[in-house]
Structure formats: structure tokens, C-alpha cells
Amino acid sequence: MRALRDHELLVVTGKGGVGRTTTTAALGLAAAREGLRTCVVELGGQASLARTLGLPDAAYGPREVAPGLHLMSLSATACLGDFGQRKLHVGALARWFFESRVMAGFVEAVPGLTDVVQLGKVEDMLAAPQRDDPVFDLVVLDAPATGHGLTLLAAARAMAEMTAVGPFHDLAAIIEGLLGDPERTGVVLVTLPEALPVQESVELAHALATDGAPPVLTVVNQRLPPWPDGLDEAAVTAALTAGAGPDEPAPPLLADLARSELRRHRAQVEALAQLARRLPEVVGHPVPLASLARLADPGRLDDLLPPLRAHLGAP
């Protein structure tokens, strides 16, 4: 299996709430620390990734947020204006029309066009940067959650089938060439060490593999540290009553908290065992796994980098 650094595009997806944006930011930062000129990209004019990386708002143009790491926040209308200027060679006034409310309504009305024009910008960044554009070794895309993520990856194929000729057909074919090439594009699947997110991630991995894009890495977010060996419920109770009289019970609140934490750790062990067993079954081969600890401070992305840097591979 290719190392992550050998791809041009990494698409980060998973169900809602599993930490896709945090993973995208950390993966981009890890790649930059490994010497790759990297751009992290969010779609739909969102600013979640921008805020994660310490910026107050979103912006279309690439901004350097750390040495070797840029951020872009794409919107369909801005990408359509860019497409008109670069591919259709329209002037500034015509570009204004492409970015107008009229065209925004048109883009939203055509199934898949929003995804295609944004993916077209990503492909253009990699394949045909303009003279004044930054040149990137790797783009890390913060893709939408599960269902929309699958739709995003299939949008170019659907558009190519829907439009037999014309500029959007040509654009869709180019994007499909990028997304459909496992040498160029890899999917990173994000989950949590809990039963339901793991089950949904296994289902998503199966759908991705069926579509020819099996995940190249699974990231388990917010993994709890290992539970100490031999510390079962009886040992927890004994530890809490140490120093108390023989007839004194453990403090109820502390005992409940300790047992609750023990149950969480047991549930995590079961969920991770299910993930390790089921993923190779549905994908057809082993999938590398990176575990990221639960962050005490959401701003300390550096704490997440070592496992991701290990999976980027040697230069």
C-alpha cells in the first residue's frame, strides 16, 4: 500500500461528530512538518477548519497558517467564477456574473454541480497552478459527512454521465481521473472508539471499497489511554476504601465514577476489536490504523501529530 505522502489528494471523511475537521487540520500540519508543501481545504464556504487552525474567518485564496501549510475555504460560486476565468477565458465582468446570485441559484439547482466545481478547483490547484499560485505536493480535503461524502466522491462520474459534451463534461472527466486513480487520491476514514461510530464506519468503508476507493488509513479519534492491567471493579473498590475502616463503604460518587470509566474502557476495547476484525473483511485487505488521543486542549494539535507523521511515510 502506498504511503500517504505519495498521494496528491487525501479526502478525509466519516460520520458527523467524529472529528473530521480536527483530523484534516492535524494531518495537514503533520504533512507540512514532514516537508510536504500542503494545503488543507474546506468546502461550502465553511470556516470550521479556519477556526481550528486559529483564523477567525474563511477566505477563498490560499493563506499560509504554518510553515509549509496553507488553507483554502472554497465556495461553489467562487469556484465557478474561477472556472469561467481559467477554463472558459471570460473577463472580469463575466466572472462577476458567474459569482452572482443568479448563477448561485443555477449551481444549486443542478444535481452535483456544487461538488464538481469545488473539486474542479482542487484538481486545478494540483495539476495546473497559475504563475502566481502556490504549488502544493499534497492537498488534504475536509469532506462532508458520510452520505454527502460518498456523493461528493461520485459527483464527477454522475456529471460526466449527465452531460455528454461541453465544459462541465470535460471538467467532470478530469476530476474523475483524479479521484478514480488510487495512485493520486486516497480516502482517510475517521471514527470514534465507540460501537455505533465503528459500525457506521465499517458500512462506509464497504461503500467506499465497492466504489473502488477503499480507505488508505483509518483514524480513531479521542482514544482513551489503556486501562491499567488488573484494575477490575473489585480492585477499584479496594483502592477507594484503602485507609478507611473495615465497615466503611467506598465514597459513592467516586466509586460510580471509577466504575463508569472502567465501562467506557471496556466498551472501547470491544469497539476497536470490532473495527480491527470487520474492516479487512469489508475492504478486502488490512487498513492501517492511527489512534489519536482525546485532547485536553482543542488548540494543541501538536499532540496529535506523531501517529499521523508515522503514517505519512519516509520521503
Side-chain angles (χ1 to χ4, degrees):
M1 182 174 289
R2 292 170 64 82
L4 293 186
R5 70 180 302 126
D6 294 331
H7 295 86
E8 298 175 44
L9 173 64
L10 295 175
V11 180
V12 180
T13 189
K15 74 179 293 289
V18 297
R20 297 185 320 277
T21 297
T22 299
T23 300
T24 300
L27 188 52
L29 192 56
R33 296 277 177 87
E34 287 294 309
L36 296 172
R37 297 165 297 182
T38 306
C39 185
V40 289
V41 175
E42 57 187 346
L43 304 178
Q46 300 297 313
S48 299
L49 189 53
R51 288 191 292 269
T52 299
L53 289 166
L55 298 177
D57 54 12
Y60 179 72
R63 291 179 289 178
E64 190 169 20
V65 293
L69 179 65
H70 285 72
L71 164 70
M72 290 188 70
S73 300
L74 305 184
S75 68
T77 51
C79 290
L80 188 60
D82 208 339
F83 172 73
Q85 189 168 32
R86 294 192 181 201
K87 301 296 186 182
L88 304 181
H89 306 292
V90 301
L93 183 59
R95 174 169 181 154
W96 170 86
F97 173 73
F98 271 92
E99 298 180 11
S100 68
R101 288 186 177 181
V102 174
M103 288 302 293
F106 167 73
V107 170
E108 292 175 2
V110 178
L113 186 54
T114 294
D115 292 334
V116 166
V117 295
Q118 291 181 105
L119 289 171
K121 177 59 182 177
V122 172
E123 193 280 334
D124 200 53
M125 290 163 52
L126 288 166
Q130 300 296 298
R131 184 175 58 185
D132 297 329
D133 290 347
V135 176
F136 299 114
D137 301 309
L138 178 67
V139 170
V140 185
L141 176 63
D142 185 9
T146 307
H148 189 184
L150 287 171
T151 303
L152 176 81
L153 292 170
R157 187 181 314 130
M159 181 64 66
E161 293 171 354
M162 185 173 63
T163 57
V165 294
F168 289 122
H169 172 83
D170 296 341
L171 175 64
I174 291 171
I175 297 168
E176 180 60 19
L178 171 64
L179 297 181
D181 186 349
E183 300 286 308
R184 302 177 67 194
T185 298
V187 177
V188 176
L189 181 61
V190 184
T191 189
L192 295 174
E194 301 168 10
L196 182 58
V198 162
Q199 177 58 36
E200 293 181 343
S201 296
V202 168
E203 293 171 359
L204 176 55
H206 180 260
L208 289 166
T210 301
D211 204 37
V216 296
L217 177 70
T218 299
V219 174
V220 179
N221 261 330
Q222 301 184 25
R223 184 168 179 171
L224 300 171
W227 188 258
D229 290 338
L231 191 58
D232 57 13
E233 290 190 32
V236 167
T237 300
L240 289 170
T241 55
D247 298 324
E248 295 183 34
L253 179 59
L254 288 178
D256 287 346
L257 287 174
R259 293 184 184 113
S260 175
E261 192 68 10
L262 177 56
R263 286 192 292 272
R264 288 178 62 209
H265 279 77
R266 285 175 172 169
Q268 173 177 275
V269 169
E270 293 174 2
L272 292 175
Q274 180 188 10
L275 185 67
R277 183 180 67 256
R278 294 285 291 129
L279 264 185
E281 292 176 358
V282 301
V283 173
H285 56 74
V287 179
L289 179 70
S291 293
L292 306 186
R294 182 187 297 271
L295 288 179
D297 178 359
R300 286 194 54 83
L301 290 177
D302 278 7
D303 294 344
L304 305 180
L305 301 191
L308 297 174
R309 293 182 72 170
H311 284 280
L312 280 163

